[in-house]
Amino acid sequence: MPAATPSFATPTTAATPTLADRFHTIRQRTKLLCQPLLPEDTVVQPMLDVSPPKWHLAHVTWFWETFLLKEHLPGYQVFHPDYAFLFNSYYNSLGSRVNRADRGTISRPALADVYAYRAHVDAHMPQLLALADTLPPAFHEVFELGLQHEQQHQELLATDIKYILSTSPLAPEYLPNSDLKAAATNSMNSEAPKATWLPVPGGTSRIGYEGNGFCFDNELNAHEVLTVDFEVQNRLVTNGEYLEFIVAGGYQDFRYWLGEGWDLVQTMHWEAPLYWVQKEDGWHRFTHHGLQPVNLAAPVTHVSFYEANAYANWVGARLLTEPEWEVAARHFGATPVGGTFLESNLFDPQPLPTDADPTRCHQLLGDAWEWTYSAYHPYPGYSRAAGALGEYNGKFMINQLVLRGGSCATPASHIRLTYRNFFHADKRWQFTGIRLAR
């Protein structure tokens, strides 16, 4: 049986968290995400985009060992000499590695050995952090990157676990929740408040990160953009609204689709968002709590860019560009307050959308990643860092599209208004959603 349901509440203290406190809190959350899983669940890789949970547990640990402990803790001995080959992700600078598509073949080391690896690294990190005041600024930069990197993998764990369990013939529940099932059934025929259009004045604006805190290199450099007047909807598109597109034959009408998207609809037999299943009593979707009736008032998620764009065409609207998204988010003063994130309610379906509400910032942060109609390219003046960490973002800046805003699987302390996510246009396993513009 799975272990007890984990709690994701973050301890609060009057004092500013120490480096060790922050490290411990984030490391513990990663472990708790995997706590409900059976050992067999942690080795499955049903598609290329999904990595086995056991691999995630080891890879984030390898990051701390490789970039911090080996570099800065005198006398540190690596836990196992083969783990660098097994758990390197894509850092060519650090040597050969298991191919991404073959991560599901790593049946050994056993899950218990991976947890022993994590314990080994976690036991040595406090020793290193005790030396932090004597270490160069580069150490502190990589330490912060390590925290953010592990939070990225927490989101990937949340979405990868969901996909892995969805491929099982038994459609198992990650977190059983009878109260949620009753609520989902009751919400099947609920409706969201009607969306409204919000004007955003055009002109010259600055986008990109400016500040003293952490950001990824792809958020630099801040620069000016020019936008014309436009409007955005005050909330994300809902399941109920998207269902109207399905019923109207949207997946059977090529006129709404880009050519590549239409080809995918035909070859992959798409007829609804990922995880949607039509049963005798209506549409259901696979969730972390098993198969549930589709909540019509919740934001639609797990749609590709092609589906998002086709829906926008069908309703006579369009998607935002990346500059427009950030200009709108700044215009409305978007903050994470009120949004739904990883810590909010442990993968319950996304909250009911609301009318324009200043406390919710129009769902601009949290709930679902929003596809933009902008290619993932470097900002003006972007400079790729030297060495292995220079491979973190720069080499992916081709053939992908930008998503903004974070999702219900994103850690709240990980998101910010300038955060640039990126995926290929066909990807659907993340909590990707739709916001309309005109």
Side-chain angles (χ1 to χ4, degrees), residues 134-432:
T134 67
L135 296 174
F139 162 80
H140 295 273
E141 293 172 4
V142 177
F143 175 77
E144 184 62 40
L145 178 62
L147 297 178
Q148 302 287 334
H149 170 258
E150 185 136 346
Q151 287 183 306
Q152 285 183 316
H153 279 271
Q154 288 168 1
E155 178 161 3
L156 289 170
L157 272 166
T159 51
D160 289 3
I161 288 169
K162 180 176 181 179
Y163 191 87
I164 287 168
L165 296 181
S166 78
T167 62
S168 168
L170 299 178
E173 300 176 44
Y174 169 70
L175 291 173
N177 188 328
S178 57
D179 292 338
L180 174 70
K181 292 179 183 178
T185 301
N186 293 335
S187 68
M188 179 62 188
N189 296 313
S190 62
E191 294 184 3
K194 184 175 176 60
T196 60
W197 290 98
L198 306 172
V200 182
T204 301
S205 306
R206 287 182 68 78
I207 68 169
Y209 187 81
E210 293 181 288
N212 297 320
F214 174 84
C215 76
F216 288 110
D217 61 357
N218 64 2
E219 301 170 56
L220 301 171
N221 296 309
H223 58 285
E224 292 187 344
V225 295
L226 179 64
T227 58
V228 299
D229 295 350
F230 63 98
E231 293 182 320
V232 297
Q233 284 203 338
N234 68 320
R235 58 162 173 77
L236 300 170
V237 172
T238 66
N239 288 317
E241 291 166 333
Y242 197 85
L243 181 58
E244 294 176 5
F245 171 66
I246 296 173
V247 172
Y251 280 87
Q252 290 78 46
D253 195 330
F254 70 90
R255 294 175 299 166
Y256 306 120
W257 297 82
L258 293 167
E260 288 183 356
W262 182 245
D263 290 343
L264 278 171
V265 169
Q266 303 302 300
T267 58
M268 303 301 294
H269 306 292
W270 287 353
E271 58 180 8
L274 181 64
Y275 300 126
W276 283 39
V277 178
Q278 192 166 26
K279 301 171 74 70
E280 290 183 0
D281 58 345
W283 283 97
H284 291 61
R285 63 174 178 170
F286 185 82
T287 74
H288 284 85
H289 305 277
L291 203 60
Q292 304 288 343
V294 169
N295 178 352
L296 300 181
V300 65
T301 56
H302 301 295
V303 291
S304 67
F305 168 80
Y306 298 121
E307 290 164 295
N309 186 65
Y311 175 83
N313 289 335
W314 179 71
V315 298
R318 63 176 177 84
L319 303 179
L320 289 160
T321 65
E322 180 182 20
E324 285 176 334
W325 188 95
E326 188 166 327
V327 167
R330 291 181 183 276
H331 178 72
F332 296 115
T335 69
V337 175
T340 300
F341 296 98
L342 178 65
E343 306 90 340
S344 300
N345 49 25
L346 199 58
F347 306 126
D348 285 357
Q350 298 87 321
L352 300 182
T354 63
D355 279 327
D357 182 349
T359 65
R360 291 272 296 148
C361 287
H362 315 302
Q363 293 184 303
L364 283 159
L365 291 174
D367 299 296
W369 286 105
E370 302 177 26
W371 285 106
T372 73
Y373 211 137
S374 290
Y376 178 51
H377 288 163
Y379 281 166
Y382 173 79
S383 178
R384 181 167 158 176
L389 293 178
E391 299 183 55
Y392 203 98
N393 283 310
K395 68 183 183 181
F396 300 110
M397 291 176 171
I398 188 67
N399 297 334
Q400 306 202 63
L401 291 162
V402 175
L403 300 95
R404 289 300 203 103
S407 80
C408 58
T410 308
S413 61
H414 182 63
I415 197 64
R416 64 200 149 268
L417 189 143
T418 57
Y419 196 112
R420 307 177 75 201
N421 201 356
F422 51 94
F423 288 112
H424 292 100
D426 63 320
K427 303 309 178 189
R428 309 204 293 171
W429 96 109
Q430 291 294 314
F431 284 93
T432 47

